[in-house]
Amino acid sequence: MNYTPSNIAKITSGQLLQRADEKLTIHHILTDSRQIISPQTGIFIALKGEQHNGHTYLEAAYNAGVRCFLISEKETIQQLPLATVIFVENTLVALQKLAAAQRQKFNYPVIGITGSNGKTIVKEWLFQLLRESFHIVRSPKSYNSQVGVPLSVLAMEDTHDLAIFEAGISQLDEMKKLEKIIHPTIGILTNIGAAHDEGFVSKEEKIKEKIKLFIGADKVICEWKYAKYLKQNQDTQILTWGREKEANLQVLRISKRGKESRISAYWQGQKININLPFQDAASLENVMHCWLTLLTLDIDNQTIAERTKQLEQVAMRLELKQGGNGSLLINDSYNSDLTSLKIALRFLEQQSKDLQRTIVLSDILQSGKKNEELYPAVAELLAKFKIDYLVGIGNEIVDLKPHLPDTMQCDFHKTTDTFLANFKSDKFKESVILLKGARHFTFEKIAARLEQKTHNAVLEVNLNALLHNLKVYRSYLKPATKLLVMVKASAYGSGSMETAKLLEYQQVDYFGVAYADEGTELRKGGIKTPILVLNPEPSTFSQLLTYNLEPEIYSIKQLKELLHFLQAQNKKMGIHLKLETGMNRLGFDEDNLAELGDLLNQTKKIKVLSIFSHLASSDMADHDNFTKNQVVRFDKNYAHICQSLGYQPFQHILNSSGINRFPQYHKDMVRLGIGIYGVDSSAEISNQLRVVNTLKAVISQIKTLKKGATVGYGRHGKIDVSTRTATIGIGYADGLLRAAGKGNFSFLLHGKRAPIVGNVCMDMCMVDVTHIPEAQEGDSVVIFGEEPRAEELAKALGTITYEVFTNVSQRVKRVYVEE
């Protein structure tokens, strides 16, 4: 994009309040003050949402060098003395108007994709299938929202000759805004499922809203059953696929062999075929949309068939896992465009702290930019994110070298195999390593070399789900209410360091840990957010001081010990007072309050930061009267202490389950525990949460057992008929307790449940796969996740989900994924 501030003001119906640089030209949009790149040619747009306000971060963006701003709060201009400032009534609407204007500059075909599922897969497969025929601009990742769509469309340039954008909605009247921005010439409706049902009164209403994307389209592609909804657009050609004779692309037969599929169909009176390396129903449906789109674009079927054979799974996420030699490995290979590179570098920045920042980067293909324009932009990104060591792989990546800062180490190799032949492990020691490469560079070979070799059971932690759950709980809070997130017990098994880094980036107010050692680990990892230590021992007081940790103080004896320590050290400390209100675990009782007040009044070594208590049964409606009495007791004792102190520390009493059940008790802060990891007793909240933790293992061996055989220790697995069993590499030493055995629990394999046979062993267990003929050695098995849920395993074990999560052994590899 290429605009002057005057252009932007005119397009957005804005008012140019002040102009500091008459020659300023804007080339890109900035919306996050934490990710400022090329500030001198960007415009910061202060977007506003229910839980955030971009005007809060104007000063941070200004300090980062931004000198052009688009705002909707005039009073904030005082923070921007030397900047060009445009005022509009609504910054999101302004962003959308700017994107619509950018779209109108170009006449090449634009494909707009909507539906409930498959949008991103269809978009990425179309890119794979068409990249040899067109220079394509497309939505990065899943940029399909009211903000994501305009950011995608603003990337259109005259170097492209095809655009592919996806559009997602969650409620009425959203799609007409996206249609004005994308204005597709070709539309694709993937399918209509249950996603975002809560925003519509019926499935029909949702379909009618989605197809508003195609109001001005020349052609629309969909499955035959949806064509009836599109007949209303008289000037639009509807092209369908399906088994029905009326379908334009009529499916005749789908045959499967090995891991491949062959689809036969009629098109314009001729029988045509394609092969593809997938068999699942979702992939077959997605490829039909792609096949019909390519035929519509007049790509001959022989070319299509050659390309569909080469289709590759779409990498919908990046993975963070432990590498060797004290390193962390971020695997985001299989796509290499500027936007996804920026996203991956942002993720690397969150994880690195004191570690060396390393990137292995391939040639960036199909960018639509010439090398002399592309690689200086890549170099600027690498410099912005302070990369220490670059490994470039490919024939063109060496064009980066003249643009890199002198302080950056770099090595270049023509191929992945050449790099591996010259691999030196010491160069990757104590690093965060990002793998970012186009698929044909086979970076999985590099990942295999760099990964730490560990137990093959894996706990996948979905960071997008974690952030989604954070947003759910934040939506119940007033903007001024602070949020403490519990990351004790290794963040309920999820990994405290990785979880805390992500949440600190999201600007949570506090972290809670059980012990000083947990807080110390976070500080050593670079975490700067305030940390509340719930169980501080006198032996750790000096540790608390050294690492700026804030202790919970719950007794007179403990307070005196801390005061004695502080006097001896001549130091001061902030503390949090715990009150006993009915949990009967830890806390000051009412009869301690007078002595507590005297002790606090006699010293200047202590500052009370907060006063809090813990509810015993906030998740149980039968005990609501008890809960309310706890709060009454807390309020009374809080007021008493404040009177003694002469000031009012902030107060908090609610845990996860109380946040939505007792909004009247939010007070100054709430404490979010297991809820952020996807578990809540409230049906209202539980239905909104996403699963964060998925435990997986692998089939080591498959056996066929005859009638009369037994399985496992104690011979408790009795075989009554010929049975096919699979041995899974997970046992009670990994956290799968023995009570799950003897058929009490089952895993998910190829979409079917496989019950445990016999006792669970220390390192493995056996399951019945007689009814799953497709099961093979090496297949992945889900222990818990979306299905079966961890709650189901907890029920089988006669325990609670907390114990299931925290029981997962540290020898189980944690892999962090970001979609």
Side-chain angles (χ1 to χ4, degrees):
M1 55 178 280
N2 190 348
Y3 294 94
T4 66
S6 296
N7 294 150
I8 294 174
K10 183 176 180 180
I11 291 167
T12 61
S13 304
Q15 179 184 358
L16 197 55
L17 296 183
Q18 63 184 37
R19 182 162 187 169
D21 183 354
E22 294 294 329
K23 298 180 180 179
L24 182 62
T25 303
I26 302 301
H27 295 301
H28 55 276
I29 303 296
L30 305 169
T31 60
D32 190 333
S33 63
R34 300 164 297 184
Q35 301 178 45
I36 301 296
I37 297 169
S38 300
Q40 65 278 8
T41 57
I43 180 171
F44 184 88
I45 300 182
L47 297 173
K48 297 171 72 171
E50 291 183 8
Q51 298 296 317
H52 71 273
N53 185 345
H55 296 82
T56 306
Y57 308 106
L58 291 176
E59 186 176 357
Y62 185 84
N63 291 339
V66 180
R67 288 299 178 267
C68 189
F69 294 83
L70 192 147
I71 65 172
S72 60
E73 296 178 3
K74 281 188 177 180
E75 63 274 13
T76 58
I77 196 173
Q78 299 174 7
Q79 304 173 44
L80 314 168
L82 300 177
T84 298
V85 181
I86 302 166
F87 170 79
V88 294
E89 292 295 328
N90 185 308
T91 50
L92 175 58
V93 171
L95 172 64
Q96 293 172 340
K97 286 181 177 179
L98 185 60
Q102 181 75 358
R103 164 67 183 91
Q104 293 307 313
K105 292 181 178 181
F106 306 101
N107 294 317
Y108 49 77
V110 175
I111 299 174
I113 308 171
T114 193
S116 297
N117 305 104
K119 296 186 293 294
T120 302
I121 299 294
V122 170
K123 178 197 69 187
E124 292 299 322
W125 276 0
L126 284 174
F127 176 73
Q128 289 183 32
L129 295 166
L130 292 168
R131 61 189 172 192
E132 294 179 33
S133 305
F134 297 91
H135 289 101
I136 302 171
V137 58
R138 70 195 195 279
S139 309
K141 300 287 186 178
S142 296
Y143 274 37
N144 58 32
S145 67
Q146 297 291 313
V147 174
V149 167
L151 292 177
S152 301
V153 171
L154 282 164
M156 293 179 73
E157 296 181 2
D158 54 14
T159 54
H160 304 117
D161 50 20
L162 178 67
I164 310 174
F165 302 123
E166 56 177 293
I169 57 168
S170 58
Q171 58 190 24
L172 287 172
D173 299 324
E174 289 187 326
M175 189 60 85
K176 62 183 180 182
K177 300 174 185 175
L178 300 185
E179 190 280 330
K180 291 178 181 177
I181 302 168
I182 299 174
H183 196 60
T185 56
I186 299 173
I188 300 177
L189 179 66
T190 57
N191 69 23
I192 303 297
H196 302 298
D197 272 355
E198 65 276 9
F200 305 93
V201 298
S202 66
K203 181 177 180 179
E204 184 170 306
E205 182 182 70
K206 182 160 65 172
I207 294 173
K208 288 181 177 179
E209 177 67 21
K210 286 184 178 291
I211 64 175
K212 288 178 183 177
L213 178 64
F214 311 134
I215 289 173
D218 300 324
K219 300 175 182 179
V220 177
I221 291 162
C222 65
E223 190 176 355
W224 184 84
K225 64 183 179 182
Y226 295 120
K228 60 184 179 182
Y229 297 103
L230 292 155
K231 298 295 185 184
Q232 56 191 333
N233 299 332
Q234 299 298 324
D235 297 329
T236 302
Q237 182 184 6
I238 311 302
L239 296 162
T240 65
W241 64 267
R243 291 187 178 272
E244 295 80 5
K245 288 184 179 180
E246 298 86 349
N248 299 90
L249 182 62
Q250 183 193 355
V251 177
L252 299 174
R253 185 183 179 196
I254 300 175
S255 54
K256 300 178 181 180
R257 184 175 181 180
K259 293 186 177 182
E260 297 183 349
S261 300
R262 180 178 178 84
I263 307 177
S264 300
Y266 271 133
W267 167 254
Q268 297 181 345
Q270 293 185 330
K271 185 178 179 181
I272 56 176
N273 305 285
I274 59 169
N275 296 313
L276 64 153
F278 309 109
Q279 292 188 344
D280 62 286
S283 293
L284 294 174
E285 180 179 313
N286 291 333
V287 84
M288 291 305 301
H289 291 102
C290 297
W291 191 7
L292 185 49
T293 302
L294 266 67
L295 290 168
T296 302
L297 290 169
D298 296 324
I299 309 292
D300 69 273
N301 198 69
Q302 182 178 348
T303 301
I304 296 172
E306 290 171 357
R307 294 178 183 179
T308 55
K309 283 193 299 186
Q310 307 302 319
L311 273 177
E312 298 163 328
Q313 288 285 10
V314 176
M316 297 289 287
R317 62 191 193 176
L318 56 79
E319 294 183 340
L320 171 69
K321 56 186 73 175
Q322 197 68 42
N325 294 321
S327 68
L328 292 173
L329 179 63
I330 302 170
N331 190 350
D332 190 32
S333 48
Y334 307 132
N335 60 64
S336 61
D337 56 79
L338 275 175
T339 304
S340 67
L341 175 60
K342 179 180 175 182
I343 292 169
L345 286 168
R346 180 214 67 193
F347 187 77
L348 177 147
E349 182 182 46
Q350 291 176 32
Q351 304 303 324
S352 56
K353 302 300 180 184
D354 296 328
L355 296 175
Q356 173 179 286
R357 299 181 182 185
T358 297
I359 183 171
V360 182
L361 183 65
S362 78
D363 288 347
I364 296 179
L365 307 176
Q366 299 294 328
S367 70
K369 297 178 183 291
K370 296 179 180 178
N371 283 5
E372 53 266 31
E373 181 184 0
L374 170 66
Y375 286 109
V378 174
E380 184 179 11
L381 273 176
L382 300 182
K384 166 66 181 177
F385 286 95
K386 300 177 182 177
I387 297 301
D388 300 301
Y389 178 41
L390 162 72
V391 176
I393 296 179
N395 292 315
E396 299 177 1
I397 194 74
V398 71
D399 289 351
L400 260 178
K401 194 169 184 178
H403 308 288
L404 296 173
D406 295 336
T407 54
M408 190 183 301
Q409 301 178 58
C410 55
D411 291 313
F412 294 91
H413 303 269
K414 293 289 186 184
T415 67
T416 296
D417 289 338
T418 304
F419 163 72
L420 290 172
N422 295 278
F423 180 78
K424 294 182 174 62
S425 61
D426 60 309
K427 287 201 168 187
F428 298 89
K429 185 177 180 181
E430 296 182 351
S431 299
V432 179
I433 308 161
L434 171 62
L435 301 184
K436 198 84 178 79
R439 184 175 287 272
H440 81 263
F441 285 94
T442 61
F443 273 19
E444 63 268 20
K445 296 177 184 177
I446 302 175
R449 180 69 64 89
L450 292 171
E451 272 185 45
Q452 186 181 62
K453 303 303 183 286
T454 57
H455 187 24
N456 65 16
V458 168
L459 183 70
E460 286 188 359
V461 182
N462 187 320
L463 299 179
N464 292 86
L466 195 75
L467 291 186
H468 169 84
N469 296 343
L470 176 68
K471 290 177 182 177
V472 168
Y473 284 101
R474 274 182 164 167
S475 71
Y476 286 86
L477 305 178
K478 294 178 182 178
T481 305
K482 295 179 184 292
L483 182 64
L484 179 150
V485 178
M486 302 303 303
V487 292
K488 63 179 181 176
S490 191
Y492 295 64
S494 302
S496 56
M497 185 62 69
E498 292 77 10
T499 301
K501 286 176 180 177
L502 179 72
L503 295 176
E504 183 170 70
Y505 193 77
Q506 297 300 319
Q507 299 173 327
V508 300
D509 301 285
Y510 258 88
F511 290 127
V513 298
Y515 299 104
D517 285 347
E518 294 175 316
T520 299
E521 180 187 355
L522 294 179
R523 287 286 186 251
K524 287 182 176 179
I527 298 298
K528 294 180 170 56
T529 299
I531 299 173
L532 169 59
V533 180
L534 299 173
N535 297 291
E537 297 292 333
S539 61
T540 65
F541 286 165
S542 116
Q543 202 173 340
L544 298 176
L545 269 179
T546 301
Y547 292 99
N548 191 25
L549 305 174
E550 302 170 8
E552 166 191 314
I553 300 299
Y554 52 79
S555 72
I556 295 296
K557 176 177 179 294
Q558 186 195 32
L559 178 59
K560 288 180 176 178
E561 289 172 335
L562 179 61
L563 286 171
H564 179 75
F565 168 79
L566 293 174
Q567 291 288 354
Q569 299 293 318
N570 194 25
K571 298 288 186 179
K572 296 180 180 180
M573 184 181 289
I575 68 169
H576 301 261
L577 295 179
K578 175 74 172 289
L579 303 185
E580 175 57 67
T581 59
M583 183 77 168
N584 289 317
R585 189 170 63 180
L586 294 173
F588 289 97
D589 293 307
E590 287 185 24
D591 54 10
N592 301 140
L593 298 186
E595 186 177 3
L596 172 62
D598 290 342
L599 285 170
L600 293 174
N601 281 328
Q602 291 169 14
T603 181
K604 294 184 179 179
K605 299 294 183 185
I606 281 178
K607 171 78 171 180
V608 179
L609 301 173
S610 85
I611 302 174
F612 71 105
S613 189
H614 196 86
L615 299 177
S617 51
S618 62
D619 58 336
M620 304 172 70
D622 290 348
H623 297 286
D624 281 356
N625 285 335
F626 185 85
T627 296
K628 292 173 183 177
N629 287 333
Q630 277 194 268
V631 177
V632 169
R633 187 177 175 186
F634 173 79
D635 289 343
K636 175 186 172 184
N637 294 341
Y638 171 79
H640 185 104
I641 296 171
C642 289
Q643 189 173 12
S644 297
L645 289 173
Y647 59 90
Q648 292 183 319
F650 67 87
Q651 53 182 319
H652 46 110
I653 196 167
L654 291 183
N655 54 4
S656 295
S657 55
I659 290 174
N660 109 295
R661 295 199 68 238
F662 299 103
Q664 68 272 34
Y665 303 144
H666 283 176
K667 300 188 180 295
D668 301 308
M669 184 166 77
V670 297
R671 302 187 301 273
L672 182 55
I674 199 167
I676 199 171
Y677 306 105
V679 179
D680 195 289
S681 59
S682 162
E684 179 185 340
I685 285 195
S686 185
N687 291 335
Q688 299 178 62
L689 299 180
R690 290 179 56 188
V691 168
V692 172
N693 294 329
T694 300
L695 181 60
K696 295 181 178 180
V698 172
I699 296 177
S700 302
Q701 189 175 28
I702 292 179
K703 294 177 180 290
T704 300
L705 305 179
K706 296 180 180 179
K707 180 181 178 180
T710 59
V711 177
Y713 287 116
R715 304 184 64 202
H716 286 288
K718 308 287 186 185
I719 302 301
D720 297 325
V721 296
S722 179
T723 300
R724 192 165 175 253
T725 64
T727 301
I728 314 296
I730 192 168
Y732 59 76
D734 304 300
L736 181 68
L737 303 186
R738 294 179 80 247
K742 303 177 188 177
N744 290 326
F745 189 65
S746 58
F747 305 152
L748 188 71
L749 174 62
H750 290 290
K752 301 173 184 175
R753 299 295 283 268
I756 299 174
V757 180
N759 278 323
V760 175
C761 307
M762 180 181 286
D763 309 302
M764 61 196 76
C765 62
M766 286 64 72
V767 298
D768 184 348
V769 295
T770 309
H771 58 298
I772 312 176
E774 60 267 41
Q776 302 177 39
E777 293 174 1
D779 282 353
S780 179
V781 179
V782 176
I783 314 305
F784 64 73
E786 291 284 354
E787 184 191 352
R789 300 289 289 244
E791 294 93 321
E792 184 182 336
L793 177 55
K795 186 176 180 180
L797 297 174
T799 185
I800 57 177
T801 316
Y802 294 77
E803 189 172 12
V804 170
F805 285 161
T806 56
N807 267 345
V808 178
S809 167
Q810 289 304 306
R811 78 175 186 174
V812 173
K813 179 169 58 178
R814 269 68 173 171
V815 175
Y816 300 88
V817 299
E818 183 173 279
E819 297 167 354

